[in-house]
Amino acid sequence: MTTRAPRTLVVVGHPDLSRSRINAAMTEAIRDLDNVTVRDISRTYPDRIIDVAAEQQLVSAHDLIVWQFPLHWYSLPAVLKQWLDEVMTRDFAYDTGPLLTGKTLLTALSTGGLATMYRHGGFHRLTIEELLRPVEQTAHRMGLAWAEPLVLHGSRGVSDEELALHAKRYRTLLEKGPAVPAAA
C-alpha cells in the first residue's frame, strides 16, 4: 500500500531569499515537488501588505505547513512573525474549533551557531528545542501537530557538500511527510 505525500505549504520566512545561500538552496531543492506549494512571503509581498484571505485559503488547502527560516534573535524573522500574526487569526486558526486539527507544523530552520553552542552551558545557554517552545506552543494552540524540527546549525561554515546533503534530506522529508509523535 502506498501513501500519498502530504499536500505541503512551505512558508519561506527569509527576509531576502535572493541574498541567502542556505534557505535559497533549501527552497530550490523542493520547488519542483508536485505536493509542495512554496510561498516566499518577502517576494510575494514586497510591500509587506499580506493578502490574508489568499494565505488562509492556502493554509486550509494543505496538510503540512512548513515554516522555513533562518533563526533571528532566537525567534522567527519579522516577516514570518507578521505572516503568523495576520494570517493565523482568531476564528481562523484558533477559538472556533478544530479548523487546523489534522494538519502538522514543521519548522525547517538554520542557525549561524554550531550545534554545540545550543546546549546548557553553551554560548546560547539553551537548546534549540527550548528556544522553539513558543513556536511549538503556537502550533498546539492552533491544533496543529508538532513535527520534529529540521535544523541546520552553523550555516556560515557549511560546505557546499553539506548543504547539498541537507537540501536532499529536506526534499526527502517533504516527499514523505514528517513523523509526528502521538498527542500526549
Side-chain angles (χ1 to χ4, degrees):
M1 179 177 157
T2 60
T3 58
R4 91 175 157 76
R7 294 168 302 184
T8 301
L9 173 63
V10 177
V11 181
V12 180
H14 193 286
D16 185 357
L17 199 57
S18 69
R19 294 179 38 166
S20 168
R21 178 173 169 250
I22 304 301
N23 278 266
M26 291 172 64
T27 302
E28 195 55 38
I30 61 163
R31 193 174 297 281
D32 68 335
L33 292 175
D34 290 336
N35 64 307
V36 173
T37 302
V38 176
R39 295 293 278 186
D40 175 356
I41 51 179
S42 290
R43 183 171 180 224
T44 303
Y45 303 111
D47 56 4
R48 300 281 296 258
I49 299 171
I50 295 173
D51 182 341
V52 173
E55 297 300 313
Q56 288 178 342
Q57 186 175 22
L58 283 167
V59 169
S60 295
H62 291 82
D63 309 306
L64 173 62
I65 311 304
V66 179
W67 292 346
Q68 179 189 312
F69 60 95
L71 194 67
H72 277 211
W73 288 109
Y74 310 108
S75 188
L76 305 174
V79 67
L80 184 54
K81 179 64 168 78
Q82 178 188 353
W83 183 93
L84 171 63
D85 289 345
E86 293 185 20
V87 174
M88 303 304 242
T89 58
R90 171 176 274 150
D91 298 332
F92 172 71
Y94 63 97
D95 280 357
T96 58
L99 292 177
L100 302 181
T101 299
K103 297 178 186 299
T104 299
L105 178 66
L106 168 70
T107 55
L109 64 139
S110 57
T111 71
L114 300 172
T116 57
M117 299 172 88
Y118 291 92
R119 63 177 174 77
H120 295 275
F123 181 81
H124 297 293
R125 299 184 36 232
L126 300 172
T127 66
I128 201 72
E129 293 79 15
E130 289 169 322
L131 291 169
L132 288 175
R133 285 276 156 71
V135 179
E136 181 180 1
Q137 179 57 27
T138 299
H140 174 74
R141 179 75 169 89
M142 294 186 293
L144 296 165
W146 177 253
E148 180 180 340
L150 176 68
V151 183
L152 178 66
H153 287 290
S155 61
R156 289 182 203 95
V158 169
S159 70
D160 291 343
E161 295 78 21
E162 291 167 323
L163 180 53
L165 182 60
H166 180 74
K168 183 177 180 182
R169 276 194 303 267
Y170 186 40
R171 181 182 176 89
T172 300
L173 180 62
L174 296 192
E175 284 174 325
K176 296 178 180 180
V180 177

